[in-house]
Amino acid sequence: KGRISTGGNELVASNTSSSAITGHGLNKYVIGNLRRYVAASGSYDFPVGNTSYYDLGNISFNGQSGITSLLGYFTTGQSGTAPSTSTCQINGSKINDYLNNGFWTFTPNSTMSGGTYDVTLNAMGYSNAPTAANQMGVIKRSDASSPWLGCGLLNGSAQSSAYGSHSNATQSISGGVATAVRSGVTGFSDFAIGLHQTNTPLPVTLMYLTATEQDDRYIALEWATASEINNSGFQVERSTDGIAFEPIAWVDGSGNSNSMIKYGTDDRQVATGIIYYYRLKQVDYDGKYEYSNIVSASLAGGNNGISIHNIYPNPAAAQVTVDIVAAEETPVAISFTDVLGREVLGTQWQLHAGYNDRRFDIAALADGVYHVTVKTGNSFFTKVLTIAK
């Protein structure tokens, strides 16, 4: 019915239904501490703000475990550490500021032991708005003395998948309300809406890149973008050692887009017994470019009818699942090797005909790039895995 000021106390909503709090708006929200009891899944509004502005936050759980309640509140203005471009980047774009209305803090009653969540921030009362929504993105820090962090790439290397992901398509500015989203997060902290250093759009957001053997005849490459800014196109590059790449195709981009667009091309100049590595060189109209992650594939005939269907998540932090498709029942050896060729993890695996999957604990492995290799007889098949914690 109005604004509730809690002071040092908490307003507690013990009903775990996501719709337990309704009717909030511009003059109906909590100034102070709001604690909500939560279920494993659900979208929970935190209608918080200060004495002048309503700054709605939302946490949407995706099958979480370990948390029964979550405290949320809003702090006015900028305090604590400022974003540093050396540690705070979103998909490689440097962040050096955030909306000056303030920041949100979400604190669980215990550690989240499983699942992820998406965070949505809706800011009002700021005076340093960017010129376009795609110049914004959610940033996070553990506390006021810790550095702000982005997601995706940091100085060309993958950050921990626990930080979540960003898509330009989910950011917006309308009616004085700036909205930003980060998906697939696992840790709680302070959150703010960060701003790109050069006040230019955040880059093309690549959702996935796959390479798949087709009928033992050719390799199909598929990828998709969640958003695009000034995207001239993609140079498809191939390698047989994962190090030296050469261009094999060009696919035009869509210029500017805020919706998912799928792309694909086929590599028909392939032979059995060879592992092919692929990456994309995404090129802007002004000639600037950046590379995608690396994927690999080979014709099944070169690997006794065995292929690694998928490795996920990739990048990974604590665990990774390897999916293998086999033409018939057969024993294989699977190994993880570092960039120096040293085996850091390995085991035997009895495959059955069809789809096989196995989860591996990689928590003890250092951050970096690894090759996951499946060997059977004199044949082998390899994919690249990035570990980032």
Side-chain angles (χ1 to χ4, degrees):
K1 299 295 185 180
R3 289 178 292 184
I4 301 175
S5 187
T6 69
N9 301 303
E10 294 181 4
L11 174 63
V12 180
S14 59
N15 188 337
T16 61
S17 170
S18 59
S19 60
I21 294 179
T22 60
H24 46 82
L26 290 178
N27 295 304
K28 297 178 288 184
Y29 56 90
V30 177
I31 304 170
N33 304 306
L34 172 60
R35 181 178 296 277
R36 297 200 63 171
Y37 278 74
V38 298
S41 297
S43 179
Y44 293 88
D45 282 341
F46 282 80
V48 294
N50 56 29
T51 55
S52 301
Y53 293 102
Y54 167 56
D55 293 284
L56 173 66
N58 177 275
I59 299 294
S60 182
F61 288 110
N62 308 304
Q64 69 89 13
S65 57
I67 298 176
T68 57
S69 72
L70 186 64
L71 174 67
Y73 59 88
F74 182 78
T75 300
T76 303
Q78 297 175 325
S79 60
T81 58
S84 167
T85 57
S86 63
T87 57
C88 192
Q89 298 177 23
I90 296 177
N91 293 347
S93 291
K94 296 180 179 181
I95 305 298
N96 71 332
D97 197 7
Y98 61 96
L99 292 183
N100 57 13
N101 63 312
F103 57 91
W104 296 254
T105 302
F106 295 100
T107 306
N109 68 313
S110 59
T111 301
M112 190 168 73
S113 56
T116 65
Y117 68 89
D118 305 335
V119 56
T120 302
L121 307 177
N122 299 276
M124 297 184 68
Y126 49 84
S127 61
N128 60 338
T131 56
N134 52 30
Q135 297 162 9
M136 307 185 307
V138 174
I139 58 176
K140 69 190 297 292
R141 66 183 180 189
S142 297
D143 51 48
S145 61
S146 300
W148 288 100
L149 303 173
C151 56
L153 297 178
L154 174 65
N155 297 319
S157 299
Q159 298 180 76
S160 170
S161 58
Y163 298 163
S165 61
H166 164 94
S167 167
N168 283 347
T170 59
Q171 325 303 307
S172 65
I173 300 177
S174 178
V177 179
T179 299
V181 180
R182 184 188 285 205
S183 304
V185 191
T186 61
F188 286 91
S189 59
D190 291 344
F191 290 92
I193 299 180
L195 305 176
H196 189 9
Q197 179 186 33
T198 58
N199 205 34
T200 56
L202 294 167
V204 170
T205 304
L206 184 69
M207 297 179 65
Y208 63 82
L209 167 65
T210 62
T212 309
E213 168 266 332
Q214 299 290 320
D215 301 324
D216 205 21
R217 295 186 296 112
Y218 64 94
I219 295 173
L221 299 166
E222 296 180 349
W223 65 96
T225 60
S227 60
E228 299 182 21
I229 300 295
N230 299 323
N231 179 24
S232 175
F234 303 89
Q235 180 173 282
V236 182
E237 299 183 352
R238 186 180 72 180
S239 169
T240 55
D241 60 8
I243 300 173
F245 285 83
E246 62 179 6
I248 61 169
W250 172 267
V251 177
D252 288 338
S254 299
N256 298 286
S257 170
N258 282 319
S259 59
M260 185 177 75
I261 299 178
K262 295 181 179 181
Y263 297 90
T265 189
D266 296 333
D267 183 8
R268 296 181 180 271
Q269 303 301 313
V270 292
T272 59
I274 300 176
I275 300 170
Y276 296 98
Y277 300 87
Y278 299 91
R279 70 183 183 186
L280 300 175
K281 181 180 180 181
Q282 183 273 313
V283 184
D284 291 342
Y285 289 128
D286 61 5
K288 294 181 180 179
Y289 63 88
E290 55 182 28
Y291 290 104
S292 72
N293 60 305
I294 298 172
V295 297
S296 64
S298 71
L299 301 188
N303 294 287
N304 292 346
I306 294 174
S307 64
I308 300 179
H309 180 259
N310 195 14
I311 295 180
Y312 62 92
N314 192 4
Q319 292 183 326
V320 65
T321 298
V322 179
D323 293 346
I324 298 178
V325 177
E328 59 185 20
E329 184 175 340
T330 184
V332 298
I334 185 167
S335 63
F336 293 65
T337 55
D338 62 17
V339 292
L340 298 178
R342 299 173 298 189
E343 182 176 299
V344 295
L345 181 65
T347 188
Q348 301 296 313
W349 188 357
Q350 182 67 33
L351 301 180
H352 57 76
Y355 178 86
N356 302 260
D357 68 290
R358 187 165 182 172
R359 181 177 296 178
F360 293 87
D361 185 353
I362 56 171
L365 301 185
D367 287 10
V369 176
Y370 295 81
H371 288 85
V372 181
T373 302
V374 177
K375 298 180 181 179
T376 175
N378 294 323
S379 300
F380 63 93
F381 193 86
T382 300
K383 278 190 179 292
V384 176
L385 167 68
T386 300
I387 296 180
K389 302 173 183 176

